[in-house]
Every structure is written in C-alpha cells, then in structure tokens.
Amino acid sequence: MFINVLLREHPHRAIALVTETHALIFRHSPSTVESAANGSIAAVSLALAPAPAQGAAVVEPRCIAEFSGLDAVDLSDYRPLSLIPVQGTLGLITVNGDVFLCVVSGASRVATVRPGETVQRINAVEFYCLNSAEYDQVAVDEFNYYPAEEASREGVEHPCLPLRKLLAGGTFYYSTDFDLTNRLQDRSAENAIFDIDNLDESFLWNSYMIGPLVKFRAHLSGPERDALDASQILTSAIRGFAMTITVPSSTAPIPASRAGLPSMLTVISRLSCRRAGTRFNARGIDDDGNVANFVETETVYWSPAGVCFSYAQIRGSVPVFWEQATGLLPGQQKISITRSPEATQPAFDKHFAGLEVEYGAVHVLNLLSESKPGEAELTERYRRHVRASPLNRAAEQRTSPDHQLLKQTDYDFHAETRGPGGYEAAGLVRNLIEPAARGFAYYMEQGDGPPSAPTRGPSAPHQRPVAVLQQEGVFRTNCLDCLDRTNLIQTIISQMALELFLGHVGKRASADFLMRHNTLWADNGDALSKIYAGTGALKSSFTRHGKLSLAGALADARKSATRMYINNFADKGRQNTMDMLLGRLMGQASVHLYDPINDFVTAELSKRSAEYSASRTIRIWAGTFNLNGRATGLGEDLSPWLCPEIEKAQRDPEIVAAGFQEIVELSPQQIMSTDPGIRQAWDTAVKRTLNEDAQRRGAERYVLLRSGQLVGAALSIFVKETVLADIKNVEGSVKKTGLSGMAGNKGAVAIRMDYANTRICFITAHLAAGFANYEERNRDYQTISHGLRFQRNRSIEDHDTVIWLGDFNYRIGLGDEKVRRLIQTRDLDTLYENDQLNLQMVAGLTFPYYSEARITFAPTYKYDNGSDSYDTSEKSRIPAWCDRILRKGTNLRQLSYNTAPLRFSDHRPVYATFQCAVSVINEGVKAKLSRQIYDRRRDEIKGATANDPTDETDDEDLIGYDAISPALPPASSDRRKWWLDNGLPVRSEVKPPTGQLTANPHRPSNPFGPTHEADWFPENPSA
C-alpha cells in the first residue's frame, strides 16, 4: 500500500500522510514553545537542543494529530511534498528545536519467511519538518542517487543528514505482514494478525520515534485503531540482517507435495537496541542486565509440504562490566574489568533471568582464549558468576541437578583451530554441545500446505498450521566482539539443528542445501560485523566455502586494518547518531502528540462506563486428575467427576476445564516429545460424558473449545454451544520445567480466553515430585508464572480470572503413621495445618494472592490402584493432597470443592465449581455514546484540529496548560475555564467573620485590584 505525503503551508503548517481511504495529519503547536518562555507552562526539554542550565525551563515539543477518513477531511489546500509515494512512517523526532516526521521513501523485498510474510530492507528515508519550511528544498530529492551531495544545498545543511545515512545504510528492515521483532515460535500459528501491541521493544529500533504514535493509536476508538493498522502507515523497524534463499525442489530436503514448488531458507538477525553501540563504545553489561552486541538470530526453513522449522540462538558481549581501550596497535587495546564480582552479580543475574524467561534453559558457549591475559580474565569472571547464579541450581546441594537452567562450556576457539586442521577443527564443538542441542529441540509447525497470508485487522484468516514442537532452550555464544568466531560457531549450531530436524522427519540435507545455508550465514556475519565494527566479518570465506583460501586470508587482513581505522576515527560519530535515533542524548525528549477530540472522548467514556457495560454471572467447572498413565479409564464412567451430584444452581456450567497429568506414562522416550493421540481420546471421553448427561437432563450440548498438551500434562476446555459467540481470543501456551526446562515430564499447559469483556485463564500444572522438594515446587511455580506467555506478551497475571488446577505435589509434613491415623479420625484440620502448600502460601513463597477453598475430603494420593486403600507397597508413600485447585479474581466465587470416587489411578480426581461475574460491553451503546461525546466536543472547540483551516485557534485552548502544582487546577484560557468543568458552576463557600455581616456588593470583582471598599458590611446598616 502506497502513502502520499501532502503539505499545507497556510494558515497553519500541516503534513498529511494519505492512503486510499484515510489521512493522518500532523500540525506542530508553536504556542507551546512560546508560552514556555514566559513560564506559563511546565515542560520538558526539546530533543537534541543544547543542555539547559540547571534550573532553567525547558520545553517538550507538542503536536496536534488527527486520523480521519478521507470523507471527513478537506485536503484541497494541500500539495504534494514528495514526488513519489512512501511506504510508511518511522515516527517523529526533534532536532535542534525542530520537529521532523520520518518516512520510508525507498525499500526492497529481501526475504519471504512463509508465503505472505515478506521482509523489506529500508534503502532510503526522508525527514520532513513540521514547524519550518526551511528544509523543504533540502529534505528530499527522490531522483538524486548521491545522497552525500545533499549535505549542503543553498547554504542550508539538513540537521537529520546523519540519521538519514544511518537509516538508509541497508541494515534496517521492516514488515507490513507480520511482527518482525518476534521469532516464529512467539508469533506462531496463534497470531495470524499483525498487531503493533505485540512488538518486542528490545529489538524495535524506532521505538523512541514511533512511541508518540503508538500512544496516539491507543487513544483511538476500536474501529479507528483497526483502520490505522490496516493503513500500514506505522512502521516498526529492526536492525540486523534478513535474507531468504530459494531452494529448488530438486535439492530441497523435504519434497513438495506439488512438483516444482521451491522451499525457502531464511536467516533473520535482530540486534538489540538496549545497549546499542559501536565496537569500543559498547562493551559488557549495564545495570539493567543489557549487554552490548546482543543479537537473536533465527534460521527458518519452510517447505511447501506444509512443514516449517525455526531455530533461534543468541550472541552477546561477556556479561560483566568491562571496557577496552582503542588503539592503532593490537597491544594497546587493553581490557579492564571495572567492577568487583559482588557489584557485578546483580546485573549478571538480571541478564540471565531475562533470558530464562524468554528462551528457557541457557547454555553458554564461551569462545574466549585461555592464553590471552585479558580474555582469560574475562573467562574466569564469567565462570565465577555462572557458579553464583540462582539459575545454576546444581550448585545448591538441596536441589536436583535436573533443574540447572544455566550451563557454561568454554571452548578456546583459537587454540582448537591452531593445528593443521585449521578452522575445520571447529566442527569438533559438536561433541561438546550435542546433548544440549537435542534437549533444547527446535520449533516446528505442520499443516496441509501453504498457510493463509496474514493480514491486519480483525477479519484476518486463522487457517494456520499447528505447532507440534517448541524450542525449550538456547545457546548463548560469545567471543570478544561476538562477530567472527561467534558467527562461525553459530553457523555450525544452526546446521546441527537443521540436521536434527531433518533426521526426526526421516530426511537428509544435500550438499547443495548446506552450501546455501552456509552462504546465508556468511552474509549474516558480514552484515552484523559492519554494524558493530565497520567491516565485514573475518573468517567469512571459510563460513561460505568450508575452507580458507589465500584470497580469504588477505581479505581478513584488509578488514582488520579497516576496522582499526574506523574504530579509532569514525566510531564516535556513529555512536552519537545511534544515540540520537534511540533518544538517549542529553536533553532529548519525545514529541507529545495530542488529539483534542479523541483524547477527550476516551477519558469521558472511561468515566461513563456504567452506561454501556453490565455484569453477567456464568458457572465454571474445573477439575484435575492424575491418570498415572492408565488408559484403562477411557472406558469407565467419568460422570462422578465431570457431572457430580451437586446443587441444581451449580449444574450446567458454561465452561468446563478438565486438566490431566500423566496422561501417558512418563518414560525417557516420552518426556522429550508429545503424542496427541491419547489426549484426543480423553477429549472424546470427556465430551461424551458431558453430552450424555446434558441429554438426560435436556440441557445444552458441549463442544471442545481448545485443548493443549505437554507430554503428560493436558488441558481441555469445553463450552456450551450457545456461548461461543461470547468467546474470543482463545490461545494456548505451555511451559516446561523438567530437566532444566528441556523435557516435558514437569511443567504447565495454559489456555486463555476473553469471555465477553472478561479475561479468563486456566492452567494445569505438574510440579516437581519428592517429599522434601517443596522449594523446587516453589521455583517451578515461579518459572511457569513468569515464563509462560501468550500472544501480545500476555502473562498469566494479565487476566481478571485465573484458575490453577493440577498435581502440585505438595505433601503433608508428618509421619506416615500419624497421617493415616488422622485420616481415619477425619482430623483434616490438623493435616491441613501441616500441608506444605498451605504453609508455603501463608509464608508468601508460592502462589501469592491465590486462594483455596476449605478442604473437606481425604488426601488424594497415593492409593493402591483399584482400591480405597492408601499405598501398601514397600515405599509406603505418605498420603497427601497433591491434587489442588486454586483461584484468583475478585469476580470469582467458589461454590464447591470435592473429590470423586474413580479408582483406576493412584490419585483421586478433584473438582471445583465457581460463579464468575463477567463484564459485558454493549458495543452499540458505547459507539452511540462515543459519537455523541465526539460531536459535542467538536462543537465546543469549533472544529479546531490538526486540519483546522482557520487562523483563529490558540493551541493552548486545545492542548491545555499544565498545572504548576498538583493542588491547583490548570490555568484557564478564553476557551477553557476550569471552574466550569463538567458543567457545574463554581460556588463560593467563603463565610463572613460574624453572622451580622454580608458581602459588600460595591466591592470590585477582582479581589487583587486596589479599592477603598470594605469586604463586608452589616446586614442592617440602620441598626
């Protein structure tokens, strides 16, 4: 979709981005700056302006924005500002007091990840000034292909020229089809709709510039927001590398179902902007846990046979505080560690805690030299911090080594490749990391063929492939610069993952396919090296061809010399431009966008929500059952559990959530993969039981809404057919905790939904076993609670109603004999006082803010199969309430909590019933009220918007003044009088000093003006 850039110069300068159906119009507010000079408003500094003196007033640049359909705006006074259409805007930025709108004026397609998912490389950008015509002639010349000649035209230098060169340097990419900031696994089959709310800001390089527009978008109404998204005006850019190589069907490892269709192999690298910088200006870690040159690189292989593979790995500077001096000679580049180990550990822990949440288990592959003093010192510090990390649980004697989420392998690359084998010896690293690579697995989705192209907007198709395997860990590779050695090793890891994937589907990669793969990775290494060090990567000749030629060695020497020059003489300017783009220069502040009508409408709608929303009560049944791997229960009557004899008001729930654990036997072969066959059989059994009971009572039928599985854990949600219209945004997610997050023997399955306008989440979990391992169970909860994510980066806590159900494995802290005696005497209170989950919750160590109904049933574990007797085996396990249901939500009321007499497992199933108040918004009433408020506000400000054609508008009347103190109202103006807000006139409560006095009507109304009149006089002057 092409976008035209239009300009209106009088009476107010305004710039419009116009599509076929809508226009986004900007107008700078000059009166804001002027009013700051006389102290009438409080403000923030102009971006890139010289740093003000301490205590001096500074100004935040403000603009009025308007987004409307073309039928609602008059563009007759506008003229084209750009001779050719643009592809979108990267946002707004202030430079030396002027506000500029940045647009993408040239781009080319470089990648197609899947059909309908294209990636564009930015080749040219332009900056248009909102408040001055001074740069109109130097801002753009679409037919000048030599941008260096634009630096000075008619004696005027464009202040955004460094930014133009940076953004047009071929290292920035965007997509209008899908979210380029997230890997395929995180947007997967669930998210066919492009959604700007889901962007990962750590990889969003224009977040500072696009931020005001994202806030502006959030204030729009739902239909307007969808229209703005569909217009593709807002552009999100990453920095790094993206490229697709087409693989002919003759050499593709997976043959296509239709002859002749090629496969696609793609590599995407996303460079983090959190600690962005050039080689010697950005090293190590910062206090927020961000590291320099942090890159997530994803290899994606798509086959027209319907299979898609994705594998992500990361690189980043050694996560300690260290610096390296520049110098023209190698010996001058001294490494210095700037903080003590004790002062470094908190930042180190933040870094790896973030990685664990995002990727799961982390395996560090450190390639630093053991013989070079500086690198050896960094390696030793790295080892020390890894040992001290809370993720490295093997260091804690109280816990199992299976829960070590952070491991480190040191591989001295230079020493290992110094022999006659050369760089080919680097392939031996496979032997060190192969077990972890198999455990981490990869992401794979499968379908019947090419997926539907993703589109923006609520009507996007959802016929997408199904995710069948997830990557559950990541390799974090580093050398000193994280460029040359790192890229070669990451190429090997990517190839290992591809070969593992192809081996699992019974295929092999041809030599031609691997050569294409290595070529992609060589290009990737060159691109990342140019960003950080200024030249292409060393050793890229070997990566590309599998051997190091004389020409390659000479090229490496030339690159090293070029790097030396750039790092010493050019990097300071490059760093300054990067900081300018990211809004990190002293005195920089983002532009404030104000929509005088929609902002007011949004605030008023929030105040009057009771006029268009109501509450409705639904019923929920939730149950959990550890099946002990017993498929024999499929033929048994499940109605005592699913349809218990309870009060009539609790029957016929709108939602049924059935959670299972050990749905299959947890053998070593099973825990690394998921077989959906058994889960589907249980889904059928549950649905049959529910509908047979519904038919007997003449009630509504149930349908399976969604089910999910993590090896032995499964969760299935059933709903009545009649409530399907009230349910939307149904999503599923899983989180492994077993074997360092690599295996599914323990973990959680979650399903969330929007029921009307209430967000509901169900989680079934199977936590760590063992009588004394309650701390490990607490950590499992933390891992699931913090690490499990849905689309738009929703967490479990981002819901109004949350219900956990599962085998939490918490035990009773008493001896076996005493527990059994208390069970016989029905002294459940004493048992509960010694229940581990109860004690840990009271101490605030697990499930904070969750509640559990009073337990009135005997412990649910461990029974002899087929009987009501507790464990009579040699192990004689102590009975416990392993199976629990917890809840959170002010709108949730629990009605029952009990167990059912099903005896084919060593656990007893547990169920609970709830009443849930859901919020229902009448969209028609809301839209009508919104239109009424909109029309009234438009009349009040007399059409004064960004596209106002008159010259009578005082922008401060629209934007408003800031209050100089929280205790005082904002200053008034000709249009706005704070004492008339909400239509209520002010009423004086001033009282006379005595009851015999009244106010003097002859006194002037201005209390501060000079007068001889008294304030008060007697009510009866003659008295």
Side-chain angles (χ1 to χ4, degrees), residues 356-403:
E356 191 271 332
V357 167
E358 182 66 28
Y359 301 102
V362 182
H363 191 122
V364 171
L365 193 53
N366 175 39
L367 309 179
L368 293 177
S369 171
E370 296 280 2
S371 57
K372 295 181 180 180
E375 295 192 18
E377 185 182 5
L378 284 175
T379 294
E380 182 54 38
R381 283 291 296 272
Y382 208 160
R383 292 189 190 123
R384 174 172 180 165
H385 289 301
V386 167
R387 288 195 297 268
S389 170
L391 295 180
N392 194 346
R393 294 175 183 159
E396 301 178 16
Q397 297 181 355
R398 294 177 301 175
T399 59
S400 165
D402 288 347
H403 279 67

Coordinates of all heavy atoms in Angstrom, one line a residue, residues 356-403:
E356 N 16.2 -16.6 30.6 CA 15.5 -17.8 31.0 C 14.0 -17.6 30.8 O 13.3 -18.6 30.3 CB 15.8 -18.1 32.5 CG 15.3 -19.5 32.9 CD 13.9 -19.5 33.4 OE1 13.5 -18.4 33.9 OE2 13.2 -20.5 33.3
V357 N 13.4 -16.5 31.1 CA 12.0 -16.2 30.8 C 11.7 -16.3 29.3 O 10.7 -16.8 28.9 CB 11.6 -14.9 31.4 CG1 10.2 -14.5 30.9 CG2 11.6 -14.9 32.9
E358 N 12.6 -15.7 28.5 CA 12.3 -15.6 27.1 C 12.6 -16.9 26.4 O 11.8 -17.3 25.5 CB 13.2 -14.5 26.5 CG 13.0 -14.3 25.0 CD 11.6 -13.7 24.7 OE1 11.0 -13.1 25.5 OE2 11.1 -14.0 23.6
Y359 N 13.7 -17.6 26.7 CA 14.1 -18.8 25.9 C 14.1 -20.1 26.7 O 14.2 -21.1 26.0 CB 15.5 -18.5 25.4 CG 15.7 -17.3 24.6 CD1 16.2 -16.1 25.1 CD2 15.3 -17.3 23.2 CE1 16.4 -15.0 24.3 CE2 15.4 -16.1 22.4 CZ 16.0 -15.0 23.0 OH 16.1 -13.9 22.2
G360 N 14.0 -20.1 28.0 CA 14.1 -21.3 28.7 C 15.6 -21.5 29.2 O 16.2 -20.6 29.6
A361 N 16.0 -22.8 29.3 CA 17.4 -23.0 29.7 C 18.4 -22.4 28.8 O 18.2 -22.2 27.6 CB 17.6 -24.6 29.8
V362 N 19.5 -21.9 29.4 CA 20.6 -21.2 28.6 C 21.9 -22.0 28.7 O 22.3 -22.4 29.8 CB 20.8 -19.8 29.2 CG1 21.8 -19.1 28.3 CG2 19.5 -19.0 29.1
H363 N 22.5 -22.3 27.6 CA 23.8 -23.0 27.5 C 24.8 -21.9 27.0 O 24.7 -21.6 25.8 CB 23.7 -24.2 26.7 CG 25.0 -25.1 26.8 ND1 24.9 -26.4 27.2 CD2 26.3 -24.8 26.6 CE1 26.1 -26.9 27.2 NE2 27.0 -25.9 26.8
V364 N 25.7 -21.5 27.8 CA 26.7 -20.5 27.4 C 27.9 -21.3 26.7 O 28.4 -22.2 27.2 CB 27.3 -19.8 28.6 CG1 28.5 -18.9 28.2 CG2 26.2 -18.9 29.2
L365 N 28.2 -20.8 25.5 CA 29.3 -21.3 24.7 C 30.3 -20.1 24.6 O 30.2 -19.2 23.8 CB 28.9 -21.8 23.4 CG 29.9 -22.6 22.5 CD1 30.4 -23.8 23.4 CD2 29.2 -23.1 21.3
N366 N 31.4 -20.2 25.5 CA 32.4 -19.1 25.6 C 33.6 -19.5 24.7 O 34.2 -20.5 25.0 CB 32.7 -18.9 27.0 CG 33.8 -17.9 27.2 OD1 33.9 -16.9 26.5 ND2 34.8 -18.2 28.1
L367 N 33.9 -18.6 23.7 CA 35.0 -18.9 22.8 C 36.2 -18.2 23.1 O 37.2 -18.1 22.3 CB 34.5 -18.6 21.4 CG 33.2 -19.2 20.9 CD1 32.8 -18.8 19.5 CD2 33.2 -20.7 21.0
L368 N 36.3 -17.5 24.2 CA 37.5 -16.7 24.5 C 38.8 -17.5 24.7 O 38.7 -18.7 25.1 CB 37.2 -15.8 25.8 CG 36.2 -14.8 25.7 CD1 36.0 -14.1 27.0 CD2 36.5 -13.8 24.6
S369 N 39.9 -16.9 24.5 CA 41.2 -17.5 24.5 C 41.6 -17.7 26.0 O 41.4 -16.8 26.8 CB 42.2 -16.7 23.8 OG 43.5 -17.2 24.1
E370 N 42.2 -18.8 26.3 CA 42.7 -19.1 27.6 C 44.1 -18.6 27.8 O 44.6 -18.5 28.9 CB 42.7 -20.6 27.9 CG 41.3 -21.2 27.9 CD 40.6 -21.0 29.3 OE1 41.2 -20.3 30.1 OE2 39.5 -21.5 29.4
S371 N 44.8 -18.2 26.7 CA 46.2 -17.8 26.7 C 46.3 -16.3 26.7 O 47.3 -15.8 27.2 CB 47.0 -18.4 25.6 OG 46.4 -18.1 24.3
K372 N 45.4 -15.5 26.1 CA 45.5 -14.1 26.1 C 45.1 -13.6 27.5 O 43.9 -13.9 27.9 CB 44.6 -13.5 25.0 CG 45.1 -13.9 23.6 CD 44.2 -13.2 22.6 CE 44.7 -13.6 21.2 NZ 43.8 -13.0 20.1
P373 N 45.9 -12.8 28.1 CA 45.6 -12.4 29.5 C 44.2 -11.7 29.7 O 43.4 -12.1 30.6 CB 46.7 -11.4 29.9 CG 47.8 -11.8 29.0 CD 47.2 -12.2 27.7
G374 N 43.8 -10.8 28.9 CA 42.6 -10.1 29.0 C 41.4 -11.0 28.9 O 40.4 -11.0 29.7
E375 N 41.4 -11.9 27.8 CA 40.3 -12.8 27.6 C 40.3 -13.9 28.6 O 39.2 -14.3 29.1 CB 40.5 -13.4 26.2 CG 40.4 -12.4 25.0 CD 40.2 -13.1 23.7 OE1 39.9 -14.3 23.6 OE2 40.5 -12.4 22.7
A376 N 41.4 -14.3 29.1 CA 41.4 -15.3 30.2 C 40.8 -14.8 31.5 O 40.1 -15.5 32.2 CB 42.9 -15.8 30.4
E377 N 41.1 -13.5 31.8 CA 40.5 -12.9 33.0 C 39.0 -12.8 32.8 O 38.2 -13.1 33.8 CB 41.1 -11.5 33.2 CG 40.6 -10.9 34.5 CD 41.2 -9.5 34.7 OE1 41.9 -9.0 33.7 OE2 40.9 -8.9 35.7
L378 N 38.5 -12.5 31.6 CA 37.0 -12.4 31.4 C 36.4 -13.8 31.6 O 35.3 -13.9 32.1 CB 36.7 -11.9 30.0 CG 36.9 -10.4 29.8 CD1 36.7 -10.0 28.3 CD2 35.9 -9.6 30.7
T379 N 37.1 -14.8 31.1 CA 36.6 -16.2 31.2 C 36.4 -16.6 32.6 O 35.4 -17.2 33.1 CB 37.5 -17.2 30.4 OG1 37.4 -16.9 29.0 CG2 37.0 -18.6 30.6
E380 N 37.4 -16.3 33.4 CA 37.4 -16.7 34.8 C 36.3 -16.0 35.6 O 35.6 -16.6 36.4 CB 38.8 -16.3 35.5 CG 38.8 -16.7 37.0 CD 38.5 -18.2 37.2 OE1 38.9 -19.1 36.4 OE2 37.8 -18.5 38.2
R381 N 36.1 -14.7 35.3 CA 35.0 -14.0 35.9 C 33.6 -14.5 35.4 O 32.7 -14.6 36.2 CB 35.1 -12.5 35.6 CG 36.1 -11.7 36.3 CD 35.7 -11.6 37.8 NE 34.5 -10.8 38.0 CZ 34.5 -9.5 38.1 NH1 35.6 -8.8 38.1 NH2 33.4 -8.8 38.2
Y382 N 33.5 -14.9 34.2 CA 32.3 -15.5 33.6 C 32.0 -16.7 34.4 O 30.8 -16.9 34.9 CB 32.5 -15.8 32.2 CG 31.3 -15.8 31.3 CD1 31.4 -15.6 29.9 CD2 30.0 -15.9 31.8 CE1 30.3 -15.6 29.1 CE2 28.9 -15.9 31.1 CZ 29.0 -15.7 29.7 OH 27.9 -15.7 28.9
R383 N 33.0 -17.6 34.6 CA 32.7 -18.9 35.3 C 32.2 -18.6 36.8 O 31.3 -19.2 37.3 CB 34.0 -19.7 35.4 CG 34.5 -20.3 34.1 CD 35.6 -21.2 34.3 NE 36.3 -21.6 33.1 CZ 37.6 -21.5 32.9 NH1 38.4 -20.9 33.8 NH2 38.1 -21.8 31.7
R384 N 32.9 -17.6 37.4 CA 32.5 -17.3 38.8 C 31.1 -16.9 38.9 O 30.3 -17.3 39.8 CB 33.5 -16.2 39.3 CG 33.1 -15.7 40.7 CD 34.1 -14.8 41.2 NE 33.8 -14.3 42.6 CZ 34.6 -13.7 43.4 NH1 35.8 -13.5 43.1 NH2 34.2 -13.3 44.6
H385 N 30.6 -16.0 38.0 CA 29.2 -15.5 38.0 C 28.2 -16.6 37.7 O 27.1 -16.6 38.2 CB 29.1 -14.3 37.1 CG 29.8 -13.1 37.6 ND1 29.5 -12.5 38.8 CD2 30.8 -12.3 37.0 CE1 30.3 -11.5 39.0 NE2 31.1 -11.3 37.9
V386 N 28.6 -17.5 36.8 CA 27.7 -18.6 36.4 C 27.5 -19.5 37.6 O 26.4 -19.9 38.0 CB 28.3 -19.4 35.2 CG1 27.5 -20.7 35.1 CG2 28.1 -18.6 33.9
R387 N 28.6 -19.8 38.4 CA 28.5 -20.6 39.6 C 27.6 -20.0 40.6 O 26.9 -20.7 41.4 CB 29.9 -20.9 40.1 CG 30.7 -21.9 39.3 CD 31.9 -22.3 40.2 NE 32.8 -21.2 40.5 CZ 33.9 -20.9 39.8 NH1 34.2 -21.5 38.7 NH2 34.6 -19.9 40.2
A388 N 27.7 -18.6 40.7 CA 26.9 -17.9 41.7 C 25.5 -17.6 41.3 O 24.7 -17.1 42.1 CB 27.6 -16.6 42.1
S389 N 25.1 -17.9 40.1 CA 23.8 -17.6 39.6 C 22.7 -18.4 40.2 O 22.9 -19.6 40.4 CB 23.7 -17.7 38.0 OG 22.4 -17.6 37.6
P390 N 21.6 -17.8 40.6 CA 20.5 -18.6 41.1 C 19.9 -19.6 40.1 O 19.3 -20.6 40.5 CB 19.4 -17.6 41.5 CG 19.8 -16.3 40.8 CD 21.3 -16.4 40.6
L391 N 20.2 -19.4 38.8 CA 19.7 -20.3 37.8 C 20.5 -21.6 37.8 O 20.0 -22.7 37.4 CB 19.7 -19.7 36.4 CG 18.8 -18.5 36.2 CD1 19.0 -18.0 34.7 CD2 17.4 -18.9 36.4
N392 N 21.7 -21.5 38.3 CA 22.6 -22.7 38.4 C 22.3 -23.5 39.6 O 23.1 -23.5 40.6 CB 24.1 -22.2 38.3 CG 25.0 -23.4 38.0 OD1 24.6 -24.5 38.1 ND2 26.2 -23.0 37.7
R393 N 21.2 -24.2 39.6 CA 20.7 -24.8 40.8 C 21.5 -26.1 41.2 O 21.4 -26.6 42.3 CB 19.3 -25.2 40.7 CG 18.4 -23.9 40.6 CD 17.0 -24.3 40.3 NE 16.2 -23.0 40.1 CZ 15.1 -23.0 39.5 NH1 14.5 -24.1 39.0 NH2 14.4 -21.8 39.4
A394 N 22.3 -26.5 40.3 CA 23.2 -27.7 40.6 C 24.2 -27.4 41.7 O 24.6 -28.2 42.4 CB 23.9 -28.2 39.4
A395 N 24.5 -26.0 41.8 CA 25.4 -25.6 42.9 C 24.8 -25.6 44.3 O 25.5 -25.6 45.3 CB 25.9 -24.2 42.6
E396 N 23.4 -25.8 44.3 CA 22.8 -25.8 45.6 C 22.5 -27.3 45.9 O 21.9 -28.0 45.2 CB 21.4 -25.1 45.5 CG 21.6 -23.6 45.1 CD 20.3 -22.9 45.0 OE1 19.3 -23.5 45.5 OE2 20.2 -21.8 44.4
Q397 N 23.1 -27.7 47.0 CA 23.0 -29.2 47.4 C 21.6 -29.6 47.7 O 21.3 -30.8 47.6 CB 24.0 -29.4 48.5 CG 25.4 -29.1 48.3 CD 26.3 -29.4 49.5 OE1 25.8 -29.8 50.5 NE2 27.6 -29.3 49.3
R398 N 20.8 -28.7 48.0 CA 19.4 -29.1 48.4 C 18.5 -29.4 47.2 O 17.5 -29.9 47.4 CB 18.8 -27.9 49.1 CG 19.4 -27.6 50.5 CD 18.7 -26.5 51.1 NE 18.8 -25.3 50.3 CZ 18.2 -24.1 50.7 NH1 17.5 -24.1 51.8 NH2 18.3 -23.1 49.9
T399 N 19.0 -29.1 46.0 CA 18.1 -29.3 44.8 C 18.7 -30.3 43.8 O 19.9 -30.7 43.9 CB 17.9 -28.0 44.1 OG1 19.1 -27.4 43.7 CG2 17.2 -27.0 45.1
S400 N 17.9 -30.7 42.9 CA 18.3 -31.7 41.9 C 19.1 -31.0 40.8 O 18.8 -29.9 40.4 CB 17.0 -32.3 41.3 OG 17.3 -33.0 40.1
P401 N 20.1 -31.7 40.3 CA 20.8 -31.2 39.1 C 20.0 -31.1 37.9 O 20.4 -30.4 36.9 CB 22.0 -32.2 38.9 CG 21.5 -33.4 39.6 CD 20.6 -33.0 40.7
D402 N 18.9 -31.7 37.8 CA 18.0 -31.6 36.7 C 17.5 -30.2 36.5 O 17.0 -29.8 35.4 CB 16.8 -32.6 36.8 CG 17.2 -34.0 36.6 OD1 18.3 -34.2 36.2 OD2 16.4 -34.9 37.0
H403 N 17.5 -29.4 37.5 CA 17.0 -28.0 37.4 C 18.0 -27.0 37.2 O 17.9 -25.8 37.6 CB 16.1 -27.7 38.7 CG 14.7 -28.3 38.5 ND1 14.5 -29.6 38.6 CD2 13.5 -27.7 38.4 CE1 13.2 -29.8 38.4 NE2 12.6 -28.7 38.4

